[in-house]
Amino acid sequence: MKPHILKIAVIAFLFCLLKASAQEQKMPVGTQPAEIIRMGDDLHVFCSGADMNGNGIVEKDSGDVEASWWIFDAATMNVKKSKVLDSSFLKEAPLNLTLASVSAYVFHGKNQIKRYDRFSQELFNNIDIPDSLKNIVMLNYAPLPVNRLHIVSKYKDIFYETYIGVYIETPSIIPFKNPVQFFFNENDEYPDGFVWDFPIILTKGTKGSKNSVIIRPFAGNGEYSTVLGEGANFMYRKNDSIYITMYDEHSVKIVHKYKGDILKTIPTQTTGSKGPRECAIDGDNLYVTTYNCDIRKFSISTGELLKIIPISGMADPIQIVNGKLIVGVTRTCDSLPNNSISVIDITTSVENEEPFAISASVSPNPFKNSASISATFPSHVHSATIEIFTTSGNSVGVFKKEVINGEVNFHIESDVLKLSQGQYMARISAGKQMSVVPFVIVK
């Protein structure tokens, strides 16, 4: 295994080993909760299921798990209803589904959209898909000017008139590669007083081409097409801004909703394949889920990383409801399908505790016989804990150290600790803050 790949794997393993934040409450749902939608008093959690052999066919003898749909009371987080979406998987986040006032439209991957009652989860009817729309990438519901289901494939767009059950082909409004998200913007008022819902589309582009784009077509003087860079994954709208997670660039880009200007870029300080996935906002706080088994809290005004909240796996969707983060943990830290959502209270004193950074390193690294762990802390920190782990999860030593003038220096002797050749991790912690440093011993 290449060293950088091994390093990423070991870091992911340790975060799984360290488990979750003390605030994290895990609630069982279906396999791979990949979409969370708030509608009125309900919180809808759609789980994509698990196609273990990748053949697109549900084979329970092979360990496959069907997709499912869970409805929670948003106030109490009690389960109101759940439904297995028989003999189907849903693609990974973001999913091909949309909710309307009384209906849920779900693409099951079998050239058919199923329309369910949003409250009872009973099936209303099946909507057969034309042959020209074989590869569905998005569904959206457009209440204005008429009730239409907007269906987007990789090749063309089409509207389905839900009241009369007919398809209406339209000129394509998705001119770029790989659209990933779409919404009809609300309350765009023009001089004549007419209100119209103009679409805003996010496209991922092609790998390596740095051609992710956010597009606002058909808006007269408000049209724009803004190139974002590499790996756009998700957009969140708040007031006049759109917050876009850039998975490959490890950042969140803030775009003006009406002009398309990039207002600010906030680095997420993730690396490799552990980048940002989705986001949500509470006041000036931006919460970003990652595949690094954590949630990252940033100040929108300053761009500062305020806190890293460890969780029990790789997270995708996130909602903020009644002072709590509701997070879909799609996979465990070792990339296995997960079956829980996490609820984290952000109103507690633990969350509001003033955060600080721990800067730590191991030198030399790799080493044969001895090395030093160095760490720096703010002036108010007086003690720290250093714990060494093997890649199999065993703790080989826990050491309490006094912090002197904001620094700790700890000497590692491989023979004294009986450490054989291999990869290890050092966790340096003080209070609720921690830093994790990988190191390698060679013999």
Side-chain angles (χ1 to χ4, degrees), residues 253-265:
K253 293 193 174 180
I254 305 175
V255 174
H256 194 286
K257 185 167 67 173
Y258 300 107
K259 299 177 182 178
D261 298 337
I262 298 176
L263 304 175
K264 181 181 291 187
T265 298

Side-chain angles (χ1 to χ4, degrees), residues 5 29 239 285 415 422 430:
I5 297 176
V29 289
N239 299 326
N285 297 320
D415 291 342

Side-chain angles (χ1 to χ4, degrees), residues 6-62:
L6 180 59
K7 179 179 178 181
I8 292 170
V10 172
I11 291 174
F13 171 81
L14 184 63
F15 272 109
C16 188
L17 172 69
L18 297 179
K19 300 181 181 178
S21 161
Q23 305 157 262
E24 181 184 14
Q25 176 188 2
K26 294 194 290 185
M27 304 184 69
V29 289
T31 298
Q32 298 197 110
E35 194 87 51
I36 302 175
I37 303 172
R38 173 79 181 269
M39 291 286 283
D41 296 331
D42 294 334
L43 200 66
H44 297 261
V45 179
F46 289 89
C47 304
S48 59
D51 185 3
M52 301 306 291
N53 57 16
N55 65 359
I57 302 171
V58 175
E59 298 174 337
K60 294 183 180 179
D61 292 343
S62 301

